Amino acid sequence: MQKQKNMKHGAAGLFFLFGLLFFVLVCRFLYIQVTGTAGGEVLASKIDKKYEKKQVLEAKRGSILDTKGEVIAEDTPSYILRAVLSEKEPEHVKDPEMTAKKLAKYIDMDEQDIYERLTKKKAYQVEFGSAGKDLTQVVKQEIEKLELPGITFGSTNKRFYPNGIFASHLIGYVEKDEETEEMAGKFGIEKYLNKELQETNGELTYDSDRWGFLLPDTEEKVVAPDNGNDVMLTIDKKIQTFLEDSMSKVQEKYDPEQIIAIVSNPKTGEIVAMGQRPTFHPTTKVGLTDTWRNLAIEETFEPGSTMKTFTLAAAVEEGVFNPNESFVAGTYKAGSGKIGDHSGIERGKSMTFLEGVQRSSNVAFATLAMDKIGAETFREYLTKFGFDKKTGIDLPNEITGKIQYKYKLEQVTTSFGQGSTVTPIQQIQAASAIANDGKMMRPYVIKSISDQDTGKNLKTTKPKVTGQPISAETAKQVRDYLETVISAKKGTGKKYAIDGYQVAGKTGTAQIAGPTGRYLEGKNNYVFSFLGMAPKDDPQLVMYVAVKQPKLGVSYVGADPLSEIFNPVMQNSLQYLNIKPSEVKKQKANKIKDYTNQTESSAVTELKELGYDVSMIGSGRKVLDQSPKEGSVLLQGEKIILRTEGEMKVPDMKGWSLRDVMKLAKVAKLDLKTEGTGYVSKQSLKAGKKVNEGETFNIELSQPDGAGEDIPTKEKTE
């Protein structure tokens, strides 16, 4: 009885408890119904968010253009292939086998691998890895024509570099930033102007049904995308292409450690081409390393004899350069040490200062800088030419060289480009003063920045004069002197002559400091360079090119890889710019008659009147033989050898070409042995020595514009 009573009480308690809970739930429901809130949040907004869809409206990063508006870098549409597998969706893959077979023709994936992806269990949607990404508009359209159920596309923008390897170190590249998850420039212009180029995506917001479709009678909310600004460079795509092609050929042929080349407009300071090797591909990143840098502005080195350009300019401006004044070549005392001339110049030889310029005599330039200009005044000119500071070019990470000028030896070696260091872009800026009638122009590469959508110009770079170290008259005289470096018989720049155009310039061969601080030795261990401008009378382009440690082998010299870049780039660029070639006087060619049995005096007189260089071997008056023979065609200025009666004495043949030596050996009937290439630097039989037919005659040949053209003998600089 008691047990039954307890059960009734328990049941009543449970009824009361559940009744209370039901009451609380009803009150809670009524509260939510009346207030529309739960947990402090408005439920209506929660429902809105559940069915609210957001779609990214992709903006485009600004394009990078050349000086004529040709695209160098731009954003292009890129597509991602997707397949809907869920049978709950009206459009899904219904025949995986057929779909895989057809897709395999358009993406880089095996049919079986595609099939496996299309038959994944419990997958709502699948993608196809790298094979299904970065698809072009053309591929997308071809796949759409197949009308495959369940096959869809996502879209994005991809950075596209249509020219491939093209001023890559200058343009840079774009990739996703690990911190912000946004695409950003990582090098060059892409990084330097990232804020200007950077885009901001927009957003489309709308209410949708459970399948994501827009509900009727609802409004779309649009935040418009903000495209990045376009950047126009001073780079000319055509000239840059000339440069890239020439550098690639030299890279393949000589395999140098580095190539640096810059082409500028000296009138404005615009850089119209800038290249280097090694390089990288901005899309694939092939060739890119962690230590990558723009060598034109981030590399310093001893310039070598190209620095003599500015020593000469200072001497002319100071009025102390007399081209016909003589000096004695060989050595110059510099404090406790001495510097020497290169092997192509005979020690103790007297020559004019103009010949010293043409033959790149270190002694000539040391004398000009220290004895004629004066050490303090010459140092001031280095500042005037901008070698003390950065040029201010609109590129990141520019550095400056260091002028070593404390000790006498440093002062002397700086005058011909050793000891002190500069950058390639500093030399381009300094050379603009010589090409532009004394006005030195700051180099720049950013021409303008404009709004991508409206085309409105936002910023324009104006040419800026950074100084006038020399007068217009001095600049003209210096160009005239530098032209003879190319045109003179013994000039070191003969390889840089261009048909139809007069080139003014200076060669350079700089030593490379090794890990121990001492200069490296060997034929290839130099930085060979050339700084030139054309046309000489009114230069439209200035070009600097340097090649570090090319593998020259036996038959080549430093000027070979340099000229194989400078000559085609300069000539093609001038023609492209419609710079007309100058009238070049053609040498006359005549057939040589027979001078045997004539007197040597009458033969010499007649030949010299015709413009030929005559050398004789023999002490008699009657001509016995000649080379070239009767009927040969010779240009004015060529050498002809006359063999006369009497004993034969060897002439001084230093500077003779191998062809001319062979002419003499033929008429004198000597056993000729040669070593090297180029022009005679040594001969086994001394000038004036008697020689008999059949004797062995050894000569050594070397290139006047080759390796070591400005390098003093090692023991004299230590």
Side-chain angles (χ1 to χ4, degrees), residues 67 77 96 140 150 259 268 277 279 289 300 324 403 425 487 514 637 655-656 676:
T67 190
K140 174 178 177 287
I259 302 174
T268 62
R277 293 291 184 274
T279 188
T289 65
T300 66
N324 298 314
I403 303 299
I425 200 65
S487 62
W656 283 30

Side-chain angles (χ1 to χ4, degrees), residues 592-607:
I592 301 300
K593 72 176 191 179
D594 184 7
Y595 289 94
T596 57
N597 297 318
Q598 289 191 27
T599 61
E600 55 87 15
S601 58
S602 64
V604 169
T605 299
E606 184 176 332
L607 286 167

Side-chain angles (χ1 to χ4, degrees), residues 53 89-90 206-215:
K53 296 293 182 181
E89 296 296 334
Y206 60 92
D207 293 332
S208 69
D209 59 17
R210 60 180 296 187
W211 293 285
F213 295 108
L214 178 68
L215 290 173

Side-chain angles (χ1 to χ4, degrees), residues 386-406:
F387 292 114
D388 278 341
K389 60 183 180 180
K390 300 175 184 178
T391 65
I393 189 172
D394 44 5
L395 286 172
N397 307 321
E398 182 186 8
I399 63 174
T400 186
K402 186 175 182 180
I403 303 299
Q404 302 281 9
Y405 213 75
K406 183 177 180 180

